[in-house]
Amino acid sequence: MSLSILVTGGAGYIGSHTVLQLLLGGYKVVVVDSLENSSQISLERVREFAQDHAPKLSFHQFDLRDRPALEKLFASEEFDAVIHFAGLKAVGESVQKPLMYYDNNIIGLIALLEAMAAHGCKKLVFSSSATVYGWPKVVPCNEESPICALNPYGSTKLFGEEMCRDVYKSDSTWKIILLRYFNPVGAHPSGAIGDDPRGIPNNLMPFVQQVAVGRRPALTIYGTDYGTKDGTGVRDYIHVVDLADGHIAALNKLSDPSFGCKVYNLGTGKGTSVLEMVAAFEKASGMKIPLVMAGRRPGDAEVVYASTERAERELNWKAKYGIDEMCRDQWNWASKNPYGYEPCVSTD
Ligand code: NAD
Ligand code: UDP
């Protein structure tokens, strides 16, 4: 019998890649997504690619805060574990609309934890973020490094982690993994699924890709005076397929009877500057990315990259891909889907 996994936010960028890896790994997958930041076409593409495994995927469109809908789902199906991606993720928007972020990310998590507890499903993988390391004094960041929040989005991740730790403290039959993702980029090598953010992208690579396909005139580089090799910010970019595989490793860990609640970084351990990333993308795509040099973006850290030791040792997981593959797959997705999944409703 295959294990049944509830994936919240499974139509989104990281969710859709994880759903595909789960199906290919023999899991049964139930997705709940409101589609407020995604398209159902991502799941149709996942189904096409999953071939014989496709019948093991089902989809329910509702908001996690819709408690009657969540209750009905838990009453009708048994889940072995939940992977919780659903939430809002735009840092700038969270500063403009903090309550919308607290409402979605915090109330959504509470509704989920309550439904899980009520139905005796106590295995959870929670999407946290390297944003909780703020501007780290020491790199690489390991799981014991100090954490803080620099904006409301970051606060929801910090509180989300705390809530999970408290739930575990109150009832040690829970098994919870908090995954701190570094910078997910790239797309499935097929080019069928990838990142399709609504509106103006916040993140570097979705912006670069939109410049490459002619949707935006130039990339603005935020900060050229950092104390880094070329003055631009350094991050730990990780291929989204490696990240998706990290969730399978986490699920395996949750089946360990002695496991409790623990945090793991998912990164590569390598720092890459903005200019290095742009150069790698230009090489992979053959496209020239016009640049506009600008001042630092408020709230941005100088250098952030992961210590990957704990995940390697305890989850038996290690990222396989480097930035050349990330950029190759980002371009493959972009060139095949220049306007994302639903070009006719583009919000440009
Ligand atoms: P995404 O926006 O592509 O996916 C999130 C999905 O959740 C979307 O499909 C959206 O429609 C859905 N959703 C949002 N609120 C919902 C709700 N209340 N009920 C049901 N569905 C809801 O984002 P992503 O990049 O795939 O990120 C997934 C998770 O990983 C998020 O929690 C995000 O904060 C976290 N994360 C992302 C990054 C990143 O750079 N992409 C980095 C660190 C952490
Ligand atoms: N960045 C940039 N221009 C952009 C978007 C991002 O120069 O249009 C830089 C940003 O300052 C940071 C790096 O790219 O140094 C990664 O930014 P992103 O928002 O993707 O990730 P985060 O800062 O959240 O780690």
Side-chain angles (χ1 to χ4, degrees):
M1 265 279 284
S2 353
L3 292 180
S4 177
I5 311 299
L6 171 62
V7 180
T8 76
Y13 173 45
I14 306 171
S16 55
H17 288 82
T18 304
V19 168
L20 178 55
Q21 297 305 90
L22 286 167
L23 291 170
L24 297 177
Y27 291 87
K28 178 175 180 279
V29 181
V30 176
V31 168
V32 168
D33 199 302
S34 62
L35 300 182
E36 75 174 84
N37 195 39
S38 53
S39 161
Q40 203 177 329
I41 297 172
S42 64
L43 294 178
E44 287 164 21
R45 304 246 179 115
V46 164
R47 275 202 184 91
E48 279 166 32
F49 209 81
Q51 294 189 347
D52 294 351
H53 301 281
K56 286 190 175 168
L57 171 62
S58 59
F59 171 58
H60 302 264
Q61 183 179 352
F62 64 84
D63 192 297
L64 273 187
R65 292 164 294 176
D66 178 348
R67 285 168 188 256
L70 198 57
E71 173 54 32
K72 200 167 147 209
L73 178 66
F74 271 90
S76 66
E77 301 228 20
E78 263 187 36
F79 300 110
D80 295 289
V82 177
I83 304 180
H84 178 46
F85 293 110
L88 301 177
K89 62 166 183 180
V91 170
E93 187 185 49
S94 82
V95 176
Q96 304 301 321
K97 299 176 184 169
L99 296 181
M100 189 169 101
Y101 273 68
Y102 289 118
D103 191 351
N104 194 330
N105 294 6
I106 300 293
I107 306 295
L109 176 59
I110 293 174
L112 178 66
L113 289 166
E114 285 183 348
M116 290 175 69
H119 292 274
C121 170
K122 296 187 182 174
K123 289 184 184 161
L124 174 69
V125 179
F126 173 71
S127 299
S128 187
S129 166
T131 192
V132 301
Y133 293 118
W135 182 310
K137 288 202 176 73
V138 178
V139 284
C141 303
N142 69 40
E143 290 81 350
E144 305 306 324
S145 298
I147 54 176
C148 66
L150 299 179
N151 50 60
Y153 167 70
S155 299
T156 68
K157 292 298 171 193
L158 209 63
F159 297 164
E161 285 196 6
E162 281 303 313
M163 281 161 51
C164 290
R165 280 188 273 267
D166 287 341
V167 163
Y168 171 70
K169 276 184 214 151
S170 73
D171 172 358
S172 62
T173 63
W174 280 85
K175 296 182 189 303
I176 305 180
I177 289 190
L178 310 166
L179 293 178
R180 292 184 184 150
Y181 313 148
F182 280 68
N183 292 61
V185 298
H188 190 266
S190 64
I193 54 173
D195 200 0
D196 180 21
R198 303 249 156 118
I200 302 171
N202 273 295
N203 295 116
L204 178 65
M205 292 315 282
F207 204 104
V208 168
Q209 122 178 11
Q210 292 196 4
V211 174
V213 299
R215 286 170 65 178
R216 311 211 176 261
L219 170 74
T220 303
I221 305 242
Y222 296 129
T224 52
D225 61 346
Y226 287 112
T228 58
K229 43 197 152 187
D230 57 26
T232 64
V234 167
R235 295 290 183 276
D236 185 339
Y237 297 94
I238 173 168
H239 197 296
V240 66
V241 173
D242 274 331
L243 194 69
D245 286 338
H247 292 74
I248 314 259
L251 287 178
N252 290 337
K253 188 72 183 172
L254 290 180
S255 63
D256 172 350
S258 63
F259 191 79
C261 175
K262 207 160 180 184
V263 57
Y264 293 93
N265 286 340
L266 293 185
T268 64
K270 295 185 185 73
T272 304
S273 75
V274 179
L275 288 176
E276 285 173 331
M277 207 58 189
V278 170
F281 185 87
E282 287 183 332
K283 190 171 126 215
S285 64
M287 309 296 284
K288 186 86 198 132
I289 305 296
L291 303 177
V292 173
M293 301 305 180
R296 296 180 180 193
R297 187 169 63 174
D300 266 359
E302 184 168 74
V303 178
V304 188
Y305 59 92
S307 159
T308 58
E309 263 174 45
R310 184 185 284 184
E312 280 176 35
R313 197 176 56 241
E314 298 183 18
L315 300 182
N316 206 12
W317 168 91
K318 188 177 177 3
K320 293 194 279 284
Y321 299 109
I323 58 167
D324 290 340
E325 286 119 336
M326 296 176 212
C327 291
R328 176 198 68 196
D329 294 339
Q330 185 97 33
W331 174 240
N332 188 32
W333 154 250
S335 52
K336 288 181 175 155
N337 308 270
Y339 282 82
Y341 290 114
E342 291 178 289
C344 45
V345 295
S346 163
T347 51
D348 276 17

